[in-house]
Amino acid sequence: MFKFISPVEVILLESILHDWSDDYCIKILKKCKEAISGKENGGRLIIIDTVMDHNPDCKSYETQLFMDMLMMIGVNGKERSEQEWAKLFSNADFTDYNIILILGLRSVIEDLIDDACHRTGDFNLCVASLRTDPHSRTADIKGLTCIMMEMCLYKAKGISSQIERIIKQATDRGFKECLEICLKEFGLAIDNHLPYAIKQLDSGDYVDATYSLMGVDSSAETCENQFTDPSVFTSPLTDVDAKFLNLTLVTGVLMSLLK
């Protein structure tokens, strides 16, 4: 594993890395990164190993300490906290990770962001949006969806402010009327659809959250429709509307993974 790993789509390391020092782990991880296919093809590295919990009240804390001592004495390895895992991944040029606490003393560590974003149809937009929030590194699918909804809300507010600035500078009444409809549509997304969708997502009502998100999708579409034939005006929002629509569509796909 230190010299070469054959090209594959998925690599599973189960109880491997705790046998090795940090330097050797970084070498293994780098070889794994070289071997898995590119992110655009769904390459994944999954690690099953202990994530140390430094809480003395945790029932498994003493056992984790015992395993840590055993690794150090027996094979010059160690058990690691999340911060130590994060440092390993960073030094091995991995950009994000997800930890799933489902295996008792051990956890599943995987690149959940990449896996989820591969299903959206716009991998780059999905990954770039999620990585702006540091909480995405340890979020589950529901958490990632919530982050994307918050991103939609942030973008909608930015577009609304842009529309208000254009209206102030506009002189043609018909052009202003088109923009005012856009402002109303994004206002509905900001004040109603997105807050309700986030609330329903948090409560676990994914069906209602999806329907509300569909209302957000229509904001950009309705806005652009004001500037199509027979309108004589050119939309000043075509680019931002298209990007916002793509963002909401990606969010909708993440939402569908929860059903």
Side-chain angles (χ1 to χ4, degrees), residues 63-184:
T63 305
Q64 290 176 342
L65 287 178
F66 175 77
M67 289 296 296
D68 189 31
M69 293 176 61
L70 185 63
M71 290 301 104
M72 287 190 289
I73 296 171
V75 292
N76 197 31
K78 62 185 295 188
E79 305 295 357
R80 296 175 173 87
S81 66
E82 181 178 346
Q83 291 73 24
E84 290 171 316
W85 281 112
K87 185 177 180 180
L88 280 185
F89 299 144
S90 177
N91 290 337
D93 300 324
F94 282 89
T95 55
D96 48 58
Y97 64 91
N98 184 58
I99 295 179
I100 305 173
L101 302 173
I102 59 174
L103 297 174
L105 295 177
R106 296 176 298 163
S107 302
V108 177
I109 307 171
E110 62 172 354
D111 197 346
L112 185 62
I113 292 178
D114 283 7
D115 182 51
C117 288
H118 275 302
R119 309 186 191 191
T120 65
D122 197 331
F123 176 82
N124 291 331
L125 173 64
C126 179
V127 170
S129 299
L130 288 172
R131 286 179 180 163
T132 61
D133 190 320
H135 295 100
S136 66
R137 298 182 63 178
T138 55
D140 56 12
I141 291 294
K142 182 177 179 179
L144 295 180
T145 304
C146 186
I147 289 171
M148 289 296 286
M149 283 190 178
E150 295 286 357
M151 178 66 69
C152 288
L153 184 58
Y154 173 79
K155 293 293 184 182
K157 289 179 179 179
I159 295 172
S160 182
S161 296
Q162 181 178 347
I163 296 171
E164 288 177 340
R165 290 194 296 270
I166 297 174
I167 289 176
K168 289 181 180 179
Q169 297 172 359
T171 56
D172 188 281
R173 181 174 180 179
F175 185 55
K176 279 188 176 182
E177 289 177 351
C178 292
L179 290 170
E180 285 168 354
I181 293 175
C182 291
L183 187 62
K184 179 181 178 181

Side-chain angles (χ1 to χ4, degrees), residues 44-63:
R44 297 173 63 190
L45 170 63
I46 300 174
I47 301 167
I48 298 178
D49 223 318
T50 297
V51 178
M52 290 285 288
D53 187 337
H54 292 299
N55 178 10
D57 295 329
C58 177
K59 292 181 180 180
S60 62
Y61 181 65
E62 290 185 2
T63 305

